[in-house]
mmCIF file of all heavy atoms in Angstrom:
data_model
loop_
_atom_site.group_PDB
_atom_site.id
_atom_site.type_symbol
_atom_site.label_atom_id
_atom_site.label_comp_id
_atom_site.label_asym_id
_atom_site.label_seq_id
_atom_site.Cartn_x
_atom_site.Cartn_y
_atom_site.Cartn_z
ATOM 1 N N LYS A 499 32.911 -12.962 14.549
ATOM 2 C CA LYS A 499 31.993 -12.200 13.703
ATOM 3 C C LYS A 499 30.578 -12.785 13.748
ATOM 4 O O LYS A 499 29.596 -12.051 13.762
ATOM 5 C CB LYS A 499 32.504 -12.159 12.267
ATOM 6 C CG LYS A 499 33.774 -11.324 12.097
ATOM 7 C CD LYS A 499 34.168 -11.229 10.639
ATOM 8 C CE LYS A 499 35.411 -10.346 10.487
ATOM 9 N NZ LYS A 499 35.818 -10.187 9.070
ATOM 10 N N ARG A 500 30.477 -14.111 13.756
ATOM 11 C CA ARG A 500 29.156 -14.728 13.803
ATOM 12 C C ARG A 500 28.434 -14.378 15.102
ATOM 13 O O ARG A 500 27.219 -14.158 15.110
ATOM 14 C CB ARG A 500 29.279 -16.242 13.666
ATOM 15 C CG ARG A 500 29.749 -16.701 12.288
ATOM 16 C CD ARG A 500 29.771 -18.217 12.219
ATOM 17 N NE ARG A 500 30.211 -18.664 10.898
ATOM 18 C CZ ARG A 500 30.352 -19.945 10.557
ATOM 19 N NH1 ARG A 500 30.075 -20.904 11.455
ATOM 20 N NH2 ARG A 500 30.758 -20.272 9.343
ATOM 21 N N PHE A 501 29.171 -14.322 16.186
ATOM 22 C CA PHE A 501 28.583 -13.964 17.481
ATOM 23 C C PHE A 501 28.018 -12.554 17.437
ATOM 24 O O PHE A 501 26.882 -12.303 17.870
ATOM 25 C CB PHE A 501 29.628 -14.095 18.575
ATOM 26 C CG PHE A 501 29.204 -13.511 19.896
ATOM 27 C CD1 PHE A 501 28.331 -14.200 20.724
ATOM 28 C CD2 PHE A 501 29.655 -12.261 20.302
ATOM 29 C CE1 PHE A 501 27.923 -13.667 21.942
ATOM 30 C CE2 PHE A 501 29.265 -11.720 21.512
ATOM 31 C CZ PHE A 501 28.396 -12.431 22.331
ATOM 32 N N TRP A 502 28.797 -11.594 16.922
ATOM 33 C CA TRP A 502 28.346 -10.210 16.875
ATOM 34 C C TRP A 502 27.135 -10.061 15.952
ATOM 35 O O TRP A 502 26.206 -9.325 16.263
ATOM 36 C CB TRP A 502 29.482 -9.292 16.406
ATOM 37 C CG TRP A 502 30.626 -9.228 17.368
ATOM 38 C CD1 TRP A 502 31.900 -9.655 17.182
ATOM 39 C CD2 TRP A 502 30.583 -8.715 18.705
ATOM 40 N NE1 TRP A 502 32.657 -9.452 18.297
ATOM 41 C CE2 TRP A 502 31.878 -8.866 19.251
ATOM 42 C CE3 TRP A 502 29.588 -8.137 19.492
ATOM 43 C CZ2 TRP A 502 32.201 -8.471 20.537
ATOM 44 C CZ3 TRP A 502 29.905 -7.732 20.774
ATOM 45 C CH2 TRP A 502 31.192 -7.901 21.285
ATOM 46 N N ARG A 503 27.166 -10.762 14.805
ATOM 47 C CA ARG A 503 26.013 -10.687 13.896
ATOM 48 C C ARG A 503 24.764 -11.231 14.579
ATOM 49 O O ARG A 503 23.676 -10.674 14.434
ATOM 50 C CB ARG A 503 26.298 -11.477 12.620
ATOM 51 C CG ARG A 503 27.332 -10.842 11.704
ATOM 52 C CD ARG A 503 27.283 -11.478 10.329
ATOM 53 N NE ARG A 503 28.335 -10.952 9.456
ATOM 54 C CZ ARG A 503 29.453 -11.585 9.175
ATOM 55 N NH1 ARG A 503 29.677 -12.786 9.682
ATOM 56 N NH2 ARG A 503 30.352 -11.045 8.374
ATOM 57 N N THR A 504 24.906 -12.315 15.314
ATOM 58 C CA THR A 504 23.751 -12.925 15.981
ATOM 59 C C THR A 504 23.203 -12.020 17.071
ATOM 60 O O THR A 504 21.981 -11.836 17.199
ATOM 61 C CB THR A 504 24.146 -14.283 16.589
ATOM 62 O OG1 THR A 504 24.657 -15.129 15.561
ATOM 63 C CG2 THR A 504 22.942 -14.944 17.243
ATOM 64 N N ILE A 505 24.079 -11.413 17.853
ATOM 65 C CA ILE A 505 23.650 -10.551 18.946
ATOM 66 C C ILE A 505 22.887 -9.347 18.409
ATOM 67 O O ILE A 505 21.806 -8.996 18.910
ATOM 68 C CB ILE A 505 24.864 -10.105 19.788
ATOM 69 C CG1 ILE A 505 25.400 -11.276 20.610
ATOM 70 C CG2 ILE A 505 24.476 -8.943 20.706
ATOM 71 C CD1 ILE A 505 24.440 -11.799 21.650
ATOM 72 N N TYR A 506 23.426 -8.716 17.373
ATOM 73 C CA TYR A 506 22.827 -7.468 16.888
ATOM 74 C C TYR A 506 21.614 -7.687 16.000
ATOM 75 O O TYR A 506 20.901 -6.725 15.696
ATOM 76 C CB TYR A 506 23.885 -6.634 16.151
ATOM 77 C CG TYR A 506 24.870 -5.992 17.093
ATOM 78 C CD1 TYR A 506 26.217 -6.336 17.082
ATOM 79 C CD2 TYR A 506 24.445 -5.037 18.012
ATOM 80 C CE1 TYR A 506 27.117 -5.760 17.960
ATOM 81 C CE2 TYR A 506 25.340 -4.447 18.891
ATOM 82 C CZ TYR A 506 26.670 -4.805 18.863
ATOM 83 O OH TYR A 506 27.556 -4.240 19.727
ATOM 84 N N ILE A 507 21.373 -8.921 15.582
ATOM 85 C CA ILE A 507 20.181 -9.189 14.784
ATOM 86 C C ILE A 507 18.987 -9.503 15.676
ATOM 87 O O ILE A 507 17.832 -9.501 15.217
ATOM 88 C CB ILE A 507 20.436 -10.357 13.809
ATOM 89 C CG1 ILE A 507 19.508 -10.244 12.576
ATOM 90 C CG2 ILE A 507 20.209 -11.695 14.485
ATOM 91 C CD1 ILE A 507 19.841 -9.113 11.676
ATOM 92 N N LEU A 508 19.219 -9.743 16.967
ATOM 93 C CA LEU A 508 18.128 -10.129 17.876
ATOM 94 C C LEU A 508 17.017 -9.079 17.986
ATOM 95 O O LEU A 508 15.832 -9.441 18.018
ATOM 96 C CB LEU A 508 18.696 -10.450 19.266
ATOM 97 C CG LEU A 508 19.454 -11.772 19.385
ATOM 98 C CD1 LEU A 508 19.994 -11.944 20.801
ATOM 99 C CD2 LEU A 508 18.554 -12.952 19.017
ATOM 100 N N PRO A 509 17.323 -7.769 18.079
ATOM 101 C CA PRO A 509 16.214 -6.805 18.170
ATOM 102 C C PRO A 509 15.255 -6.870 16.989
ATOM 103 O O PRO A 509 14.063 -6.627 17.140
ATOM 104 C CB PRO A 509 16.941 -5.443 18.224
ATOM 105 C CG PRO A 509 18.292 -5.762 18.766
ATOM 106 C CD PRO A 509 18.633 -7.116 18.226
ATOM 107 N N TRP A 510 15.794 -7.187 15.818
ATOM 108 C CA TRP A 510 14.954 -7.281 14.634
ATOM 109 C C TRP A 510 14.224 -8.617 14.570
ATOM 110 O O TRP A 510 13.123 -8.710 14.021
ATOM 111 C CB TRP A 510 15.810 -7.090 13.384
ATOM 112 C CG TRP A 510 15.036 -7.068 12.111
ATOM 113 C CD1 TRP A 510 14.058 -6.193 11.742
ATOM 114 C CD2 TRP A 510 15.181 -7.971 11.016
ATOM 115 N NE1 TRP A 510 13.578 -6.483 10.487
ATOM 116 C CE2 TRP A 510 14.260 -7.576 10.006
ATOM 117 C CE3 TRP A 510 16.011 -9.065 10.763
ATOM 118 C CZ2 TRP A 510 14.143 -8.239 8.793
ATOM 119 C CZ3 TRP A 510 15.892 -9.722 9.549
ATOM 120 C CH2 TRP A 510 14.966 -9.308 8.588
ATOM 121 N N ALA A 511 14.834 -9.658 15.140
ATOM 122 C CA ALA A 511 14.242 -10.990 15.086
ATOM 123 C C ALA A 511 13.041 -11.124 16.024
ATOM 124 O O ALA A 511 12.134 -11.906 15.772
ATOM 125 C CB ALA A 511 15.289 -12.054 15.429
ATOM 126 N N MET A 512 13.021 -10.354 17.108
ATOM 127 C CA MET A 512 11.890 -10.401 18.032
ATOM 128 C C MET A 512 10.658 -9.739 17.423
ATOM 129 O O MET A 512 10.784 -8.821 16.616
ATOM 130 C CB MET A 512 12.245 -9.692 19.346
ATOM 131 C CG MET A 512 13.204 -10.445 20.224
ATOM 132 S SD MET A 512 13.441 -9.561 21.784
ATOM 133 C CE MET A 512 11.767 -9.577 22.461
ATOM 134 N N PRO A 513 9.454 -10.203 17.779
ATOM 135 C CA PRO A 513 8.237 -9.519 17.304
ATOM 136 C C PRO A 513 8.255 -8.052 17.699
ATOM 137 O O PRO A 513 8.492 -7.704 18.861
ATOM 138 C CB PRO A 513 7.108 -10.279 18.017
ATOM 139 C CG PRO A 513 7.676 -11.636 18.284
ATOM 140 C CD PRO A 513 9.140 -11.419 18.556
ATOM 141 N N GLY A 514 8.015 -7.188 16.735
ATOM 142 C CA GLY A 514 8.157 -5.760 16.959
ATOM 143 C C GLY A 514 7.249 -5.201 18.037
ATOM 144 O O GLY A 514 7.680 -4.385 18.853
ATOM 145 N N PHE A 515 5.999 -5.645 18.064
ATOM 146 C CA PHE A 515 5.072 -5.057 19.035
ATOM 147 C C PHE A 515 5.468 -5.403 20.469
ATOM 148 O O PHE A 515 5.249 -4.609 21.387
ATOM 149 C CB PHE A 515 3.636 -5.513 18.743
ATOM 150 C CG PHE A 515 3.322 -6.927 19.125
ATOM 151 C CD1 PHE A 515 2.744 -7.212 20.348
ATOM 152 C CD2 PHE A 515 3.616 -7.972 18.266
ATOM 153 C CE1 PHE A 515 2.449 -8.517 20.707
ATOM 154 C CE2 PHE A 515 3.322 -9.280 18.611
ATOM 155 C CZ PHE A 515 2.741 -9.557 19.833
ATOM 156 N N ILE A 516 6.089 -6.581 20.674
ATOM 157 C CA ILE A 516 6.563 -6.940 22.021
ATOM 158 C C ILE A 516 7.695 -6.007 22.442
ATOM 159 O O ILE A 516 7.701 -5.473 23.564
ATOM 160 C CB ILE A 516 7.010 -8.407 22.058
ATOM 161 C CG1 ILE A 516 5.812 -9.330 21.827
ATOM 162 C CG2 ILE A 516 7.686 -8.736 23.389
ATOM 163 C CD1 ILE A 516 6.171 -10.800 21.779
ATOM 164 N N SER A 517 8.641 -5.796 21.537
ATOM 165 C CA SER A 517 9.775 -4.917 21.857
ATOM 166 C C SER A 517 9.312 -3.493 22.118
ATOM 167 O O SER A 517 9.802 -2.827 23.034
ATOM 168 C CB SER A 517 10.781 -4.939 20.697
ATOM 169 O OG SER A 517 11.278 -6.243 20.469
ATOM 170 N N ILE A 518 8.354 -3.023 21.332
ATOM 171 C CA ILE A 518 7.870 -1.653 21.503
ATOM 172 C C ILE A 518 7.170 -1.489 22.848
ATOM 173 O O ILE A 518 7.376 -0.497 23.560
ATOM 174 C CB ILE A 518 6.929 -1.271 20.347
ATOM 175 C CG1 ILE A 518 7.707 -1.235 19.026
ATOM 176 C CG2 ILE A 518 6.292 0.092 20.603
ATOM 177 C CD1 ILE A 518 6.821 -1.081 17.811
ATOM 178 N N LEU A 519 6.339 -2.457 23.219
ATOM 179 C CA LEU A 519 5.644 -2.368 24.506
ATOM 180 C C LEU A 519 6.629 -2.442 25.680
ATOM 181 O O LEU A 519 6.436 -1.771 26.695
ATOM 182 C CB LEU A 519 4.604 -3.482 24.615
ATOM 183 C CG LEU A 519 3.410 -3.358 23.650
ATOM 184 C CD1 LEU A 519 2.480 -4.549 23.800
ATOM 185 C CD2 LEU A 519 2.654 -2.052 23.889
ATOM 186 N N ILE A 520 7.668 -3.243 25.535
ATOM 187 C CA ILE A 520 8.698 -3.297 26.586
ATOM 188 C C ILE A 520 9.393 -1.945 26.700
ATOM 189 O O ILE A 520 9.618 -1.427 27.812
ATOM 190 C CB ILE A 520 9.711 -4.412 26.282
ATOM 191 C CG1 ILE A 520 9.048 -5.789 26.423
ATOM 192 C CG2 ILE A 520 10.921 -4.309 27.213
ATOM 193 C CD1 ILE A 520 9.934 -6.939 26.014
ATOM 194 N N MET A 521 9.737 -1.352 25.554
ATOM 195 C CA MET A 521 10.373 -0.036 25.565
ATOM 196 C C MET A 521 9.453 1.018 26.162
ATOM 197 O O MET A 521 9.903 1.936 26.868
ATOM 198 C CB MET A 521 10.772 0.358 24.144
ATOM 199 C CG MET A 521 11.924 -0.433 23.579
ATOM 200 S SD MET A 521 13.473 -0.016 24.421
ATOM 201 C CE MET A 521 14.647 -0.975 23.475
ATOM 202 N N ARG A 522 8.154 0.902 25.892
ATOM 203 C CA ARG A 522 7.208 1.870 26.451
ATOM 204 C C ARG A 522 7.236 1.833 27.971
ATOM 205 O O ARG A 522 7.186 2.887 28.627
ATOM 206 C CB ARG A 522 5.804 1.572 25.932
ATOM 207 C CG ARG A 522 4.734 2.502 26.495
ATOM 208 C CD ARG A 522 3.421 2.307 25.781
ATOM 209 N NE ARG A 522 2.402 3.215 26.287
ATOM 210 C CZ ARG A 522 1.299 3.546 25.633
ATOM 211 N NH1 ARG A 522 1.084 3.034 24.432
ATOM 212 N NH2 ARG A 522 0.428 4.367 26.150
ATOM 213 N N ASN A 523 7.318 0.652 28.547
ATOM 214 C CA ASN A 523 7.401 0.536 30.006
ATOM 215 C C ASN A 523 8.745 1.011 30.539
ATOM 216 O O ASN A 523 8.823 1.607 31.605
ATOM 217 C CB ASN A 523 7.144 -0.905 30.430
ATOM 218 C CG ASN A 523 5.687 -1.304 30.264
ATOM 219 O OD1 ASN A 523 4.796 -0.476 30.423
ATOM 220 N ND2 ASN A 523 5.440 -2.552 29.926
ATOM 221 N N MET A 524 9.803 0.732 29.778
ATOM 222 C CA MET A 524 11.124 1.160 30.230
ATOM 223 C C MET A 524 11.234 2.678 30.282
ATOM 224 O O MET A 524 11.866 3.246 31.175
ATOM 225 C CB MET A 524 12.205 0.579 29.309
ATOM 226 C CG MET A 524 12.373 -0.926 29.422
ATOM 227 S SD MET A 524 13.703 -1.547 28.367
ATOM 228 C CE MET A 524 15.134 -0.747 29.114
ATOM 229 N N PHE A 525 10.607 3.366 29.319
ATOM 230 C CA PHE A 525 10.679 4.830 29.271
ATOM 231 C C PHE A 525 9.533 5.496 30.025
ATOM 232 O O PHE A 525 9.386 6.727 29.938
ATOM 233 C CB PHE A 525 10.675 5.304 27.810
ATOM 234 C CG PHE A 525 11.984 5.139 27.110
ATOM 235 C CD1 PHE A 525 12.227 4.043 26.294
ATOM 236 C CD2 PHE A 525 12.995 6.082 27.269
ATOM 237 C CE1 PHE A 525 13.438 3.892 25.636
ATOM 238 C CE2 PHE A 525 14.212 5.943 26.621
ATOM 239 C CZ PHE A 525 14.437 4.841 25.804
ATOM 240 N N ASN A 526 8.724 4.732 30.717
ATOM 241 C CA ASN A 526 7.624 5.309 31.464
ATOM 242 C C ASN A 526 8.152 6.354 32.457
ATOM 243 O O ASN A 526 9.104 6.112 33.194
ATOM 244 C CB ASN A 526 6.859 4.212 32.213
ATOM 245 C CG ASN A 526 5.614 4.732 32.880
ATOM 246 O OD1 ASN A 526 5.671 5.343 33.947
ATOM 247 N ND2 ASN A 526 4.472 4.497 32.256
ATOM 248 N N GLY A 527 7.497 7.518 32.465
ATOM 249 C CA GLY A 527 8.003 8.613 33.288
ATOM 250 C C GLY A 527 7.823 8.416 34.774
ATOM 251 O O GLY A 527 8.513 9.065 35.570
ATOM 252 N N HIS A 528 6.918 7.527 35.211
ATOM 253 C CA HIS A 528 6.623 7.355 36.632
ATOM 254 C C HIS A 528 7.337 6.139 37.234
ATOM 255 O O HIS A 528 7.963 6.251 38.287
ATOM 256 C CB HIS A 528 5.112 7.239 36.841
ATOM 257 C CG HIS A 528 4.347 8.432 36.375
ATOM 258 N ND1 HIS A 528 4.399 9.646 37.020
ATOM 259 C CD2 HIS A 528 3.529 8.602 35.307
ATOM 260 C CE1 HIS A 528 3.644 10.527 36.383
ATOM 261 N NE2 HIS A 528 3.102 9.918 35.342
ATOM 262 N N PHE A 529 7.224 5.002 36.588
ATOM 263 C CA PHE A 529 7.812 3.795 37.177
ATOM 264 C C PHE A 529 8.814 3.106 36.260
ATOM 265 O O PHE A 529 9.261 1.999 36.561
ATOM 266 C CB PHE A 529 6.697 2.789 37.543
ATOM 267 C CG PHE A 529 5.839 2.388 36.371
ATOM 268 C CD1 PHE A 529 6.255 1.406 35.481
ATOM 269 C CD2 PHE A 529 4.615 2.995 36.169
ATOM 270 C CE1 PHE A 529 5.457 1.038 34.415
ATOM 271 C CE2 PHE A 529 3.809 2.627 35.113
ATOM 272 C CZ PHE A 529 4.231 1.645 34.223
ATOM 273 N N GLY A 530 9.177 3.734 35.155
ATOM 274 C CA GLY A 530 10.117 3.115 34.230
ATOM 275 C C GLY A 530 11.503 2.944 34.836
ATOM 276 O O GLY A 530 11.977 3.811 35.591
ATOM 277 N N PRO A 531 12.198 1.860 34.543
ATOM 278 C CA PRO A 531 13.530 1.614 35.123
ATOM 279 C C PRO A 531 14.571 2.642 34.699
ATOM 280 O O PRO A 531 15.534 2.887 35.433
ATOM 281 C CB PRO A 531 13.883 0.216 34.620
ATOM 282 C CG PRO A 531 13.014 -0.010 33.438
ATOM 283 C CD PRO A 531 11.759 0.753 33.693
ATOM 284 N N ILE A 532 14.403 3.257 33.523
ATOM 285 C CA ILE A 532 15.396 4.243 33.080
ATOM 286 C C ILE A 532 15.357 5.475 33.977
ATOM 287 O O ILE A 532 16.408 5.969 34.434
ATOM 288 C CB ILE A 532 15.139 4.623 31.603
ATOM 289 C CG1 ILE A 532 15.376 3.413 30.700
ATOM 290 C CG2 ILE A 532 16.038 5.791 31.184
ATOM 291 C CD1 ILE A 532 15.127 3.684 29.233
ATOM 292 N N ASN A 533 14.166 5.981 34.255
ATOM 293 C CA ASN A 533 14.067 7.139 35.157
ATOM 294 C C ASN A 533 14.464 6.759 36.575
ATOM 295 O O ASN A 533 15.058 7.575 37.304
ATOM 296 C CB ASN A 533 12.651 7.702 35.137
ATOM 297 C CG ASN A 533 12.468 8.764 34.062
ATOM 298 O OD1 ASN A 533 13.416 9.132 33.386
ATOM 299 N ND2 ASN A 533 11.252 9.249 33.908
ATOM 300 N N ARG A 534 14.123 5.556 36.984
ATOM 301 C CA ARG A 534 14.523 5.094 38.318
ATOM 302 C C ARG A 534 16.048 5.102 38.454
ATOM 303 O O ARG A 534 16.606 5.519 39.488
ATOM 304 C CB ARG A 534 13.981 3.697 38.584
ATOM 305 C CG ARG A 534 12.456 3.635 38.753
ATOM 306 C CD ARG A 534 12.043 4.199 40.102
ATOM 307 N NE ARG A 534 10.612 4.055 40.335
ATOM 308 C CZ ARG A 534 10.055 2.985 40.903
ATOM 309 N NH1 ARG A 534 10.818 1.975 41.277
ATOM 310 N NH2 ARG A 534 8.746 2.936 41.083
ATOM 311 N N TYR A 535 16.731 4.641 37.417
ATOM 312 C CA TYR A 535 18.194 4.610 37.463
ATOM 313 C C TYR A 535 18.762 6.020 37.455
ATOM 314 O O TYR A 535 19.738 6.309 38.173
ATOM 315 C CB TYR A 535 18.729 3.814 36.273
ATOM 316 C CG TYR A 535 20.233 3.741 36.236
ATOM 317 C CD1 TYR A 535 20.928 2.904 37.110
ATOM 318 C CD2 TYR A 535 20.961 4.537 35.347
ATOM 319 C CE1 TYR A 535 22.317 2.852 37.095
ATOM 320 C CE2 TYR A 535 22.337 4.487 35.319
ATOM 321 C CZ TYR A 535 23.015 3.646 36.202
ATOM 322 O OH TYR A 535 24.374 3.591 36.184
ATOM 323 N N LEU A 536 18.172 6.914 36.642
ATOM 324 C CA LEU A 536 18.657 8.292 36.608
ATOM 325 C C LEU A 536 18.528 8.949 37.984
ATOM 326 O O LEU A 536 19.436 9.667 38.430
ATOM 327 C CB LEU A 536 17.873 9.096 35.566
ATOM 328 C CG LEU A 536 18.113 8.731 34.096
ATOM 329 C CD1 LEU A 536 17.200 9.554 33.192
ATOM 330 C CD2 LEU A 536 19.572 8.943 33.704
ATOM 331 N N GLU A 537 17.428 8.709 38.652
ATOM 332 C CA GLU A 537 17.238 9.263 39.997
ATOM 333 C C GLU A 537 18.192 8.625 40.991
ATOM 334 O O GLU A 537 18.665 9.286 41.931
ATOM 335 C CB GLU A 537 15.788 9.064 40.439
ATOM 336 C CG GLU A 537 14.788 9.884 39.629
ATOM 337 C CD GLU A 537 13.353 9.535 39.993
ATOM 338 O OE1 GLU A 537 13.151 8.499 40.669
ATOM 339 O OE2 GLU A 537 12.436 10.295 39.593
ATOM 340 N N PHE A 538 18.492 7.353 40.787
ATOM 341 C CA PHE A 538 19.410 6.652 41.693
ATOM 342 C C PHE A 538 20.817 7.262 41.650
ATOM 343 O O PHE A 538 21.499 7.345 42.678
ATOM 344 C CB PHE A 538 19.449 5.175 41.327
ATOM 345 C CG PHE A 538 20.419 4.376 42.130
ATOM 346 C CD1 PHE A 538 20.130 4.008 43.443
ATOM 347 C CD2 PHE A 538 21.647 3.991 41.593
ATOM 348 C CE1 PHE A 538 21.032 3.274 44.183
ATOM 349 C CE2 PHE A 538 22.554 3.263 42.342
ATOM 350 C CZ PHE A 538 22.241 2.894 43.633
ATOM 351 N N ILE A 539 21.242 7.686 40.460
ATOM 352 C CA ILE A 539 22.595 8.254 40.340
ATOM 353 C C ILE A 539 22.583 9.772 40.515
ATOM 354 O O ILE A 539 23.594 10.446 40.287
ATOM 355 C CB ILE A 539 23.244 7.894 38.995
ATOM 356 C CG1 ILE A 539 22.417 8.458 37.825
ATOM 357 C CG2 ILE A 539 23.396 6.391 38.862
ATOM 358 C CD1 ILE A 539 23.059 8.212 36.459
#
Side-chain angles (χ1 to χ4, degrees):
K499 291 185 178 182
R500 292 183 180 179
F501 169 78
W502 294 115
R503 289 195 184 102
T504 303
I505 288 296
Y506 286 115
I507 206 70
L508 286 178
W510 184 61
M512 287 184 62
F515 75 95
I516 294 177
S517 300
I518 295 171
L519 292 177
I520 292 174
M521 289 290 184
R522 178 171 182 160
N523 288 327
M524 291 182 64
F525 283 98
N526 187 281
H528 300 290
F529 58 82
I532 295 179
N533 270 356
R534 291 286 185 89
Y535 180 75
L536 291 176
E537 293 173 347
F538 176 76
I539 61 176

